[in-house]
Amino acid sequence: MGEANRAGREFVALALRLRRLVPELVEVVTADRAVRRAVAAEPVPTAAELVQRAGRLAAELPDCGLDPGRERFLAGQLRAVEWRARRLAGQHVPFAVEVEACLDVAAVPGEPDEYRAAHRELAALLPGSAPLRERLGARRTSDAVDPDRLDAVVGALTSGLRARVAPRYGLPPSEAASHRIVDDGPWSALHTYSGLGRSVVRINAGARPTAGRLPRLLAHETYPGHHVECVRAELAAARGHVELAVTVAGSPWTVLSEGLAECALDTAVGAGWGPWSEQVLASAGVDTDGRLAERVDVALAALRRVRLDAALLLHGDGRPTADGVEAARAHLRRWLLLDDHRARRVVDALARPLWRTQVVASVEGAALVRAWLSRAGVDPVAGHLRLL
């Protein structure tokens, strides 16, 4: 166990060194203070040094006495650190190569016939003579939560989700997920773990969150999504799985993490979450049609791969070009039914170097987790807990 934990501690130190170069790439869950102080006292490493350290530690893993699961986990995380460092060192890494090397999945584009079927479903749910994009836009506008009510709505939904999740997920009484309303950002919501069972979730009011979208968004970020994942990782690290003390963005962990978070509402509430959220929202002074929200959510889920398609069009085998940017925007307008402003925001987010693999992790992770949880005989909560 000592040699196994040494490998875990060395991985944590390596991730903390990567964090010194790019803080956004590594989130600290509960890293040992002595390790953090030691890394902070070192000279700032070069990206090339991190490539070498990651490769050396990966080569040593078979001799560390790890059980097969821990060895596979650490091998995947080290591979992600190495390839992230390669890009920081100036090496050109094609998008497809980065996805497979860092995430250990392939980016599979969507099927237009499935998109067309989703459009037909949406057209039936949102009848009218206007183009479908305009009808969906009108639905989003009418369902947008007034900024003055957003704080109360987020608090009510988070509390409702926690009440359903905490008893079954073994959460300590001291844990808590608070929230802050911000004016703008390149995201709809952003989770940050503070340690000791505490998280802060920033909700972007500038993205005009809707009553129909907020239940899934908050389950993703809080209960039983990223907040619960970090609380349980912190507990596991304290029991000896020291490698869980940090998370590396754009790694196999990200695929599973995003997949679990994307499926969080289905696990916490399941079918019928629309009427459930309608009651919760009513307590916060917001009226919405929960049944319609749930049906629209199901139809839109079939369009999830459109964003992944846009990332493939944008990045191709090289860096974004003007033609790639326009092709990605046009794809989002056509299939995801976004107006030009929203399409530009999505492409701008996909173009960010640190985030360009995030959409792949989200889409492929959700597909993998949903398929695993839907197997016959798997209780969704028990399955979700096992994957955590």
Side-chain angles (χ1 to χ4, degrees), residues 12-77:
V12 170
L14 180 65
L16 292 173
R17 293 181 183 107
L18 177 63
R19 191 172 190 266
R20 294 189 70 186
L21 297 182
V22 186
E24 296 86 353
L25 281 178
V26 179
E27 183 173 12
V28 178
V29 175
T30 179
D32 182 88
R33 290 183 180 180
V35 175
R36 296 178 69 173
R37 285 196 297 267
V39 170
E42 297 173 354
V44 176
T46 66
E49 289 172 344
L50 297 187
V51 171
Q52 293 174 353
R53 284 176 180 263
R56 186 163 57 246
L57 182 53
E60 295 172 357
L61 286 181
D63 300 321
C64 288
L66 295 158
D67 68 59
R70 290 183 76 181
E71 183 176 334
R72 285 196 301 271
F73 174 80
L74 277 169
Q77 298 307 106

Coordinates of all heavy atoms in Angstrom, one line a residue, residues 12-77:
V12 N -0.3 13.6 -7.6 CA -0.9 14.8 -7.1 C 0.2 15.9 -7.2 O -0.2 17.0 -7.6 CB -1.3 14.6 -5.6 CG1 -1.6 15.9 -5.0 CG2 -2.5 13.7 -5.5
A13 N 1.4 15.6 -6.8 CA 2.5 16.7 -6.9 C 2.6 17.1 -8.4 O 2.8 18.3 -8.7 CB 3.8 16.1 -6.4
L14 N 2.6 16.2 -9.3 CA 2.7 16.5 -10.7 C 1.6 17.4 -11.2 O 1.8 18.4 -11.9 CB 2.7 15.2 -11.6 CG 2.9 15.4 -13.1 CD1 4.2 16.0 -13.4 CD2 2.7 14.1 -13.8
A15 N 0.3 17.1 -10.8 CA -0.8 17.9 -11.1 C -0.7 19.3 -10.5 O -1.1 20.3 -11.2 CB -2.1 17.2 -10.6
L16 N -0.2 19.4 -9.3 CA 0.0 20.7 -8.7 C 1.0 21.5 -9.5 O 0.9 22.8 -9.5 CB 0.4 20.6 -7.2 CG -0.7 20.0 -6.3 CD1 -0.1 19.7 -4.9 CD2 -1.9 20.9 -6.2
R17 N 2.0 20.9 -10.0 CA 3.0 21.6 -10.8 C 2.4 22.1 -12.1 O 2.6 23.2 -12.5 CB 4.2 20.7 -11.1 CG 5.0 20.3 -9.9 CD 6.2 19.4 -10.3 NE 6.9 19.0 -9.1 CZ 6.9 17.8 -8.5 NH1 6.2 16.8 -9.2 NH2 7.6 17.5 -7.4
L18 N 1.5 21.3 -12.7 CA 0.8 21.7 -13.9 C -0.1 22.9 -13.5 O -0.2 23.9 -14.3 CB -0.1 20.6 -14.4 CG -1.0 20.9 -15.6 CD1 -0.1 21.3 -16.9 CD2 -1.8 19.7 -16.0
R19 N -0.7 22.9 -12.4 CA -1.6 24.0 -11.9 C -0.8 25.3 -11.8 O -1.3 26.4 -12.0 CB -2.2 23.6 -10.6 CG -3.3 24.5 -10.2 CD -4.0 24.0 -8.9 NE -5.3 24.7 -8.6 CZ -5.3 25.7 -7.8 NH1 -4.2 26.1 -7.1 NH2 -6.5 26.3 -7.6
R20 N 0.5 25.2 -11.5 CA 1.3 26.4 -11.4 C 1.4 27.1 -12.7 O 1.6 28.3 -12.8 CB 2.7 26.1 -10.8 CG 2.6 25.7 -9.3 CD 4.0 25.6 -8.7 NE 4.6 26.9 -8.5 CZ 5.8 27.1 -8.1 NH1 6.6 26.1 -7.9 NH2 6.3 28.4 -8.0
L21 N 1.4 26.3 -13.8 CA 1.5 26.8 -15.2 C 0.1 27.3 -15.6 O 0.0 28.4 -16.2 CB 2.0 25.8 -16.1 CG 3.5 25.3 -15.8 CD1 3.9 24.3 -16.9 CD2 4.5 26.4 -15.8
V22 N -0.9 26.5 -15.4 CA -2.3 26.9 -15.8 C -3.2 26.5 -14.7 O -3.7 25.4 -14.6 CB -2.7 26.2 -17.2 CG1 -4.0 26.7 -17.7 CG2 -1.6 26.4 -18.2
P23 N -3.6 27.5 -13.8 CA -4.5 27.1 -12.7 C -5.8 26.5 -13.1 O -6.3 25.6 -12.4 CB -4.7 28.5 -12.0 CG -3.5 29.3 -12.4 CD -3.1 28.8 -13.8
E24 N -6.3 26.9 -14.3 CA -7.6 26.4 -14.7 C -7.6 24.9 -15.0 O -8.7 24.2 -15.1 CB -8.2 27.1 -15.9 CG -8.4 28.6 -15.6 CD -7.2 29.5 -15.8 OE1 -6.1 28.9 -16.0 OE2 -7.3 30.7 -15.7
L25 N -6.5 24.3 -15.2 CA -6.4 22.9 -15.6 C -6.5 21.9 -14.5 O -6.8 20.8 -14.7 CB -5.1 22.6 -16.4 CG -5.0 23.1 -17.8 CD1 -3.6 22.8 -18.3 CD2 -6.0 22.4 -18.7
V26 N -6.3 22.4 -13.3 CA -6.3 21.5 -12.1 C -7.1 22.0 -11.0 O -6.9 23.2 -10.6 CB -4.9 21.2 -11.6 CG1 -4.9 20.2 -10.4 CG2 -4.0 20.6 -12.7
E27 N -8.1 21.3 -10.5 CA -8.9 21.7 -9.3 C -8.4 20.9 -8.1 O -8.3 19.6 -8.2 CB -10.4 21.5 -9.5 CG -11.2 21.9 -8.4 CD -12.7 21.9 -8.6 OE1 -13.1 21.2 -9.6 OE2 -13.5 22.4 -7.8
V28 N -8.1 21.5 -7.0 CA -7.7 20.9 -5.8 C -8.9 20.5 -5.0 O -9.7 21.4 -4.6 CB -6.7 21.8 -5.0 CG1 -6.3 21.1 -3.7 CG2 -5.5 22.1 -5.9
V29 N -9.0 19.2 -4.7 CA -10.1 18.7 -3.9 C -9.7 18.8 -2.4 O -10.3 19.4 -1.6 CB -10.6 17.3 -4.3 CG1 -11.6 16.8 -3.3 CG2 -11.1 17.3 -5.7
T30 N -8.6 18.1 -2.1 CA -8.1 18.1 -0.7 C -6.6 17.7 -0.6 O -6.3 16.8 0.1 CB -9.0 17.0 0.1 OG1 -8.5 17.0 1.4 CG2 -8.9 15.7 -0.5
A31 N -5.8 18.3 -1.4 CA -4.4 17.8 -1.5 C -3.7 18.1 -0.1 O -4.0 19.1 0.5 CB -3.6 18.6 -2.6
D32 N -2.8 17.2 0.2 CA -2.1 17.3 1.5 C -1.3 18.6 1.6 O -0.6 19.0 0.6 CB -1.1 16.1 1.6 CG -0.3 16.1 2.9 OD1 -0.8 15.5 3.8 OD2 0.8 16.7 2.9
R33 N -1.4 19.3 2.7 CA -0.8 20.6 2.8 C 0.7 20.5 2.7 O 1.4 21.4 2.1 CB -1.1 21.2 4.2 CG -2.6 21.7 4.3 CD -2.8 22.3 5.6 NE -4.2 22.7 5.8 CZ -4.7 23.3 6.8 NH1 -3.9 23.6 7.9 NH2 -6.0 23.7 6.9
A34 N 1.3 19.5 3.2 CA 2.8 19.3 3.0 C 3.2 19.2 1.6 O 4.2 19.8 1.1 CB 3.3 18.1 3.8
V35 N 2.4 18.5 0.8 CA 2.7 18.3 -0.6 C 2.5 19.7 -1.3 O 3.3 20.1 -2.2 CB 1.8 17.3 -1.3 CG1 2.0 17.2 -2.8 CG2 2.1 15.9 -0.7
R36 N 1.5 20.4 -1.0 CA 1.2 21.7 -1.6 C 2.3 22.7 -1.3 O 2.8 23.4 -2.2 CB -0.2 22.2 -1.2 CG -1.3 21.4 -1.6 CD -2.6 21.9 -1.1 NE -3.0 23.1 -1.8 CZ -4.2 23.7 -1.6 NH1 -5.1 23.2 -0.8 NH2 -4.5 24.9 -2.2
R37 N 2.8 22.7 0.0 CA 3.9 23.6 0.3 C 5.2 23.2 -0.4 O 5.9 24.1 -0.9 CB 4.1 23.6 1.9 CG 3.0 24.3 2.7 CD 3.5 24.5 4.1 NE 3.7 23.3 4.8 CZ 2.8 22.7 5.5 NH1 1.6 23.2 5.7 NH2 3.1 21.5 6.2
A38 N 5.4 21.9 -0.5 CA 6.7 21.5 -1.2 C 6.7 21.9 -2.6 O 7.7 22.4 -3.1 CB 6.8 20.0 -1.0
V39 N 5.6 21.7 -3.3 CA 5.5 22.1 -4.7 C 5.5 23.6 -4.9 O 6.2 24.1 -5.8 CB 4.2 21.5 -5.3 CG1 4.0 22.1 -6.7 CG2 4.2 20.0 -5.4
A40 N 4.9 24.3 -4.0 CA 4.9 25.8 -4.1 C 6.3 26.4 -3.9 O 6.7 27.4 -4.4 CB 4.0 26.4 -3.0
A41 N 7.2 25.6 -3.1 CA 8.5 26.1 -2.8 C 9.5 25.8 -4.0 O 10.6 26.3 -4.0 CB 9.0 25.5 -1.6
E42 N 9.1 24.9 -4.9 CA 9.9 24.6 -6.0 C 10.0 25.7 -7.1 O 9.1 26.5 -7.1 CB 9.4 23.3 -6.8 CG 9.4 22.1 -5.9 CD 8.7 20.9 -6.6 OE1 8.1 21.2 -7.7 OE2 8.7 19.8 -6.1
P43 N 11.1 25.7 -7.9 CA 11.1 26.7 -9.0 C 9.9 26.3 -9.9 O 9.5 25.1 -10.0 CB 12.4 26.4 -9.7 CG 13.3 25.8 -8.6 CD 12.3 25.0 -7.8
V44 N 9.4 27.3 -10.6 CA 8.3 27.0 -11.5 C 8.7 26.1 -12.6 O 9.8 26.4 -13.3 CB 7.7 28.3 -12.1 CG1 6.6 28.0 -13.2 CG2 7.2 29.3 -11.1
P45 N 8.1 25.0 -12.8 CA 8.6 24.0 -13.8 C 8.3 24.5 -15.3 O 7.5 25.3 -15.5 CB 7.7 22.8 -13.5 CG 6.4 23.3 -13.0 CD 6.8 24.5 -12.2
T46 N 9.0 23.9 -16.2 CA 8.7 24.1 -17.6 C 7.7 23.0 -18.0 O 7.7 21.9 -17.4 CB 10.0 24.1 -18.5 OG1 10.5 22.7 -18.4 CG2 11.0 25.0 -18.0
A47 N 7.0 23.3 -19.1 CA 6.1 22.3 -19.6 C 6.9 21.1 -20.1 O 6.4 19.9 -19.9 CB 5.3 22.9 -20.8
A48 N 8.0 21.2 -20.7 CA 8.8 20.1 -21.1 C 9.2 19.2 -19.9 O 9.2 18.0 -20.1 CB 10.1 20.6 -21.8
E49 N 9.5 19.8 -18.8 CA 9.8 19.0 -17.6 C 8.6 18.2 -17.2 O 8.8 17.0 -16.7 CB 10.3 19.9 -16.5 CG 11.7 20.5 -16.7 CD 12.0 21.6 -15.6 OE1 11.1 22.1 -14.9 OE2 13.2 21.9 -15.5
L50 N 7.4 18.7 -17.3 CA 6.2 18.0 -16.9 C 6.0 16.8 -17.8 O 5.5 15.8 -17.4 CB 5.0 18.9 -16.8 CG 5.1 20.1 -15.8 CD1 3.8 20.8 -15.7 CD2 5.5 19.5 -14.4
V51 N 6.3 17.0 -19.1 CA 6.1 15.9 -20.1 C 7.0 14.8 -19.6 O 6.6 13.6 -19.6 CB 6.5 16.4 -21.5 CG1 6.5 15.2 -22.4 CG2 5.5 17.4 -22.0
Q52 N 8.2 15.1 -19.3 CA 9.2 14.0 -18.9 C 8.8 13.3 -17.6 O 8.8 12.1 -17.5 CB 10.6 14.6 -18.7 CG 11.2 15.1 -20.1 CD 12.5 15.8 -19.9 OE1 12.9 16.1 -18.7 NE2 13.2 16.2 -21.0
R53 N 8.3 14.1 -16.6 CA 7.9 13.6 -15.3 C 6.7 12.7 -15.5 O 6.7 11.6 -14.9 CB 7.6 14.7 -14.3 CG 8.8 15.4 -13.7 CD 8.3 16.6 -12.9 NE 9.4 17.3 -12.3 CZ 9.9 17.1 -11.0 NH1 9.4 16.2 -10.3 NH2 10.9 17.9 -10.5
A54 N 5.7 13.1 -16.3 CA 4.5 12.3 -16.5 C 4.9 11.0 -17.2 O 4.4 9.9 -16.8 CB 3.5 13.0 -17.3
G55 N 5.7 11.0 -18.2 CA 6.2 9.8 -18.9 C 6.9 8.8 -17.9 O 6.7 7.6 -18.0
R56 N 7.8 9.4 -17.1 CA 8.6 8.6 -16.2 C 7.7 7.9 -15.2 O 7.8 6.7 -14.9 CB 9.6 9.4 -15.5 CG 10.6 8.6 -14.7 CD 11.8 9.4 -14.3 NE 11.5 10.6 -13.6 CZ 11.7 11.9 -14.2 NH1 12.2 12.0 -15.4 NH2 11.5 12.9 -13.5
L57 N 6.7 8.6 -14.6 CA 5.9 8.0 -13.6 C 4.9 7.0 -14.2 O 4.7 5.9 -13.6 CB 5.0 9.1 -12.9 CG 4.1 8.7 -11.8 CD1 4.8 7.9 -10.7 CD2 3.4 9.9 -11.1
A58 N 4.5 7.2 -15.4 CA 3.6 6.3 -16.1 C 4.4 5.0 -16.3 O 3.8 3.9 -16.2 CB 3.1 6.8 -17.4
A59 N 5.7 5.1 -16.7 CA 6.5 3.9 -16.9 C 6.7 3.1 -15.6 O 6.9 1.8 -15.6 CB 7.8 4.2 -17.5
E60 N 6.6 3.7 -14.5 CA 6.8 3.1 -13.2 C 5.6 2.4 -12.6 O 5.7 1.6 -11.7 CB 7.4 4.1 -12.2 CG 8.8 4.7 -12.5 CD 9.1 5.8 -11.6 OE1 8.3 6.2 -10.7 OE2 10.3 6.3 -11.7
L61 N 4.4 2.8 -13.1 CA 3.2 2.3 -12.5 C 3.1 0.8 -12.4 O 2.6 0.3 -11.3 CB 2.0 2.8 -13.3 CG 1.6 4.3 -13.2 CD1 0.4 4.6 -14.0 CD2 1.4 4.7 -11.7
P62 N 3.5 0.0 -13.4 CA 3.3 -1.5 -13.3 C 4.1 -2.1 -12.1 O 3.8 -3.2 -11.6 CB 3.9 -2.0 -14.6 CG 3.7 -0.9 -15.6 CD 3.9 0.4 -14.7
D63 N 5.1 -1.3 -11.6 CA 5.9 -1.9 -10.5 C 5.5 -1.3 -9.1 O 6.2 -1.5 -8.1 CB 7.4 -1.6 -10.7 CG 7.9 -2.2 -12.0 OD1 7.5 -3.4 -12.3 OD2 8.7 -1.5 -12.7
C64 N 4.3 -0.6 -9.1 CA 4.0 0.1 -7.8 C 3.0 -0.7 -7.0 O 2.5 -0.2 -5.9 CB 3.4 1.5 -8.2 SG 4.6 2.7 -8.8
G65 N 2.6 -1.9 -7.4 CA 1.7 -2.7 -6.6 C 0.3 -2.2 -6.5 O -0.5 -2.5 -5.6
L66 N -0.1 -1.4 -7.5 CA -1.5 -0.9 -7.6 C -2.5 -2.0 -8.1 O -2.1 -2.9 -8.9 CB -1.6 0.2 -8.6 CG -0.8 1.5 -8.2 CD1 -0.5 2.3 -9.5 CD2 -1.6 2.3 -7.2
D67 N -3.7 -2.0 -7.6 CA -4.7 -2.9 -8.1 C -5.0 -2.4 -9.6 O -4.8 -1.2 -9.9 CB -6.0 -3.0 -7.3 CG -6.7 -1.7 -7.2 OD1 -7.2 -1.2 -8.3 OD2 -7.0 -1.1 -6.1
P68 N -5.5 -3.3 -10.4 CA -5.7 -2.9 -11.8 C -6.5 -1.7 -12.1 O -6.2 -0.9 -13.0 CB -6.4 -4.2 -12.4 CG -6.0 -5.3 -11.5 CD -5.9 -4.7 -10.2
G69 N -7.6 -1.5 -11.3 CA -8.4 -0.3 -11.4 C -7.6 1.0 -11.2 O -7.7 2.0 -11.9
R70 N -6.9 1.0 -10.1 CA -6.1 2.3 -9.7 C -5.0 2.5 -10.8 O -4.7 3.6 -11.1 CB -5.5 2.1 -8.3 CG -6.5 2.2 -7.2 CD -5.9 2.2 -5.9 NE -5.3 3.5 -5.5 CZ -4.6 3.7 -4.4 NH1 -4.4 2.7 -3.5 NH2 -4.0 4.9 -4.1
E71 N -4.4 1.4 -11.2 CA -3.3 1.6 -12.2 C -3.9 2.2 -13.5 O -3.3 3.1 -14.1 CB -2.6 0.2 -12.5 CG -1.5 0.4 -13.5 CD -0.7 -0.9 -13.7 OE1 -0.7 -1.8 -12.8 OE2 -0.1 -1.1 -14.8
R72 N -5.1 1.7 -14.0 CA -5.7 2.2 -15.2 C -6.0 3.7 -15.0 O -5.8 4.5 -15.9 CB -6.9 1.4 -15.6 CG -6.6 0.0 -16.2 CD -7.8 -0.5 -16.9 NE -8.9 -0.7 -16.0 CZ -9.1 -1.8 -15.3 NH1 -8.3 -2.8 -15.3 NH2 -10.2 -1.9 -14.5
F73 N -6.6 4.0 -13.8 CA -7.0 5.4 -13.6 C -5.8 6.3 -13.6 O -5.8 7.3 -14.3 CB -7.6 5.4 -12.2 CG -8.0 6.8 -11.8 CD1 -9.1 7.5 -12.2 CD2 -7.1 7.5 -10.9 CE1 -9.4 8.8 -11.8 CE2 -7.4 8.8 -10.5 CZ -8.5 9.5 -11.0
L74 N -4.7 5.9 -12.9 CA -3.5 6.8 -12.9 C -2.9 6.9 -14.2 O -2.4 8.0 -14.6 CB -2.5 6.3 -11.8 CG -2.8 6.7 -10.4 CD1 -1.9 6.0 -9.4 CD2 -2.6 8.2 -10.2
A75 N -2.9 5.8 -15.0 CA -2.3 5.8 -16.3 C -3.0 6.8 -17.2 O -2.4 7.6 -18.0 CB -2.3 4.4 -16.9
G76 N -4.3 6.8 -17.1 CA -5.1 7.8 -17.9 C -4.9 9.2 -17.5 O -4.8 10.1 -18.4
Q77 N -4.8 9.4 -16.2 CA -4.6 10.8 -15.7 C -3.2 11.3 -16.1 O -3.0 12.5 -16.5 CB -4.8 10.9 -14.2 CG -6.1 10.5 -13.7 CD -7.2 11.3 -14.4 OE1 -8.0 10.8 -15.2 NE2 -7.3 12.6 -14.0

